[in-house]
Amino acid sequence: MNRAAVALLLALVWLYPDAATAADSASCNLKMVNTVPIAMAARGARPLVTISINGTAQKFLLDTGGYATQISAEAAEKLKLPTVESGGTLLDLYGHASTAAVRIDTLTLGRLQDKSATLPIMPGSSSNDTGQEPLFVGLLAADYMGKYDIELDFAGGKMNYFSSDHCPGKVVYWPAAAIAAVPMRFRDHHVILDVSLDGHPQRAILDTGAPGTTLSMAEAKQVFDIAAEDGDKRFEHVFQKLSFEGLEVGNPHVAIIPDKVGSKDPNNDFATGSRVHRVDDLDPTEPKMLVGMNILSKLHLYIAFGEQKIYITPASPPAAAQQ
């Protein structure tokens, strides 16, 4: 769950035949170009995928909320990956920062390959479990998705890549009792959509890397008049409903969290402009909400990057999507 203060330029070279993504303009059939199994981790119910790094299989967290695909410092050292200049700074929600990166000769994801990839080093640690092997050694972010449409089927355990050349709206091929077509924007490798929380519009990031759904503490106070009883300590609140263009999730549990982005970055100096602020201050236009796996695991999604829409259905029709 990272954002970047300075954009990192990642050159993706997909070694996949052009014919595989070329679509017949007269056909509305979806054209699958890749499929990647998703395994839900026993600890934390987090979606994991396997990526081959220079021929060695590694577990990565599927993280659509991440700014860039990245690898832990421990894994980079173990795999003897050479260090290179990253050209930017990665920040996480817990205040950590990273400016390092490594070079990878071959990164393989299913049938897709990236030759000569450069991955930034993850801020902080790759595991929160003391004395245990990490669940994952890196994050697979949306920078390795946007060239194609992506289906996320957590109940079925798969992430499918489709050509974006298809008839608009003709993407939900599975049985569905209800379908929500939600406009989205793909900005800075983040999938951003508009939702409604207890009737109040919220701009949110679709974040498969977050175990739970979150809302900033400042937004919770301003919009819902909800505040922490113990200073800036995070807490949980149960709202009445979260709506995606008519598809509703009842009683969503949402963590109310303080803003700690950049708080542990030694280079978080003051800058001047229209106002005095710190370099790592959040953009006020950025989403204040993350929709995490406690909600997403109950849903089946098709992210149509070409259409700039997300098609959402309950995971197991006709059962309702419930928190």
Side-chain angles (χ1 to χ4, degrees), residues 15-317:
L15 297 186
Y16 196 85
D18 291 340
T21 58
D24 180 354
S25 60
S27 173
C28 285
N29 294 332
L30 293 176
K31 297 167 180 64
M32 186 186 296
V33 299
N34 193 24
T35 185
V36 179
I38 297 175
M40 300 303 294
R43 305 201 314 269
R46 311 191 77 178
L48 305 180
V49 297
T50 298
I51 295 180
S52 176
I53 303 294
N54 293 343
T56 302
Q58 300 290 331
K59 291 294 184 183
F60 276 58
L61 176 68
L62 175 58
D63 185 8
T64 58
Y67 172 79
T69 297
Q70 53 205 265
I71 192 169
S72 72
E74 295 85 353
E77 182 178 2
K78 184 177 180 179
L79 294 170
K80 297 181 171 57
L81 302 176
T83 303
V84 296
E85 292 293 330
S86 71
T89 301
L90 277 181
L91 309 171
D92 67 12
L93 291 178
Y94 309 104
H96 304 106
S98 172
T99 59
V102 294
R103 189 178 69 250
I104 296 170
D105 293 332
T106 304
L107 183 153
T108 304
L109 176 65
R111 298 196 299 267
L112 298 178
Q113 285 190 339
D114 184 5
K115 292 288 189 177
S116 190
T118 299
L119 297 188
I121 295 294
M122 291 171 59
S125 174
S126 62
S127 173
N128 293 324
D129 298 323
T130 304
Q132 299 185 49
E133 286 296 317
L135 293 176
F136 51 88
V137 301
L139 308 180
L140 175 65
D143 53 342
Y144 275 78
M145 301 176 195
K147 185 177 179 180
Y148 304 97
D149 287 356
I150 300 296
E151 176 194 1
L152 296 176
D153 180 5
F154 301 108
K158 60 185 178 182
M159 174 174 64
N160 292 327
Y161 284 64
F162 291 91
S163 166
S164 61
D165 194 353
H166 55 72
C167 295
K170 306 296 184 180
V171 298
V172 178
Y173 63 90
W174 58 89
I179 302 174
V182 184
M184 57 83 73
R185 295 166 295 286
F186 190 44
R187 188 181 74 181
D188 294 336
H189 301 157
H190 288 144
V191 178
I192 301 171
L193 69 163
D194 292 325
V195 301
S196 175
L197 185 62
D198 281 4
H200 294 275
Q202 287 291 326
R203 184 165 297 170
I205 292 177
L206 190 77
D207 194 350
T208 60
T213 297
T214 67
L215 182 69
S216 77
M217 195 166 284
E219 187 75 358
K221 174 61 178 176
Q222 179 179 346
V223 177
F224 301 98
D225 197 25
I226 299 172
E229 296 181 359
D230 184 14
D232 288 336
K233 186 176 181 180
R234 65 179 287 157
F235 64 97
E236 187 176 276
H237 183 81
V238 181
F239 289 85
Q240 294 180 3
K241 64 181 179 180
L242 175 65
S243 300
F244 302 89
E245 292 289 324
L247 182 64
E248 296 183 351
V249 176
N251 302 319
H253 291 235
V254 178
I256 311 301
I257 61 172
D259 174 26
K260 293 186 178 181
V261 173
S263 63
K264 299 178 183 178
D265 182 1
N267 296 313
N268 189 13
D269 296 325
F270 284 103
T272 58
S274 58
R275 64 183 179 90
V276 176
H277 64 285
R278 288 189 179 273
V279 173
D280 296 339
D281 279 356
L282 285 172
D283 183 336
T285 66
E286 288 188 354
K288 306 300 189 295
M289 185 175 184
L290 304 178
V291 180
M293 284 301 295
N294 66 323
I295 301 294
L296 298 178
S297 63
K298 311 298 192 301
L299 304 173
H300 193 157
L301 304 97
Y302 186 104
I303 307 174
F305 286 97
E307 292 184 50
Q308 296 190 38
K309 286 187 178 180
I310 304 177
Y311 295 87
I312 305 174
T313 78
S316 302

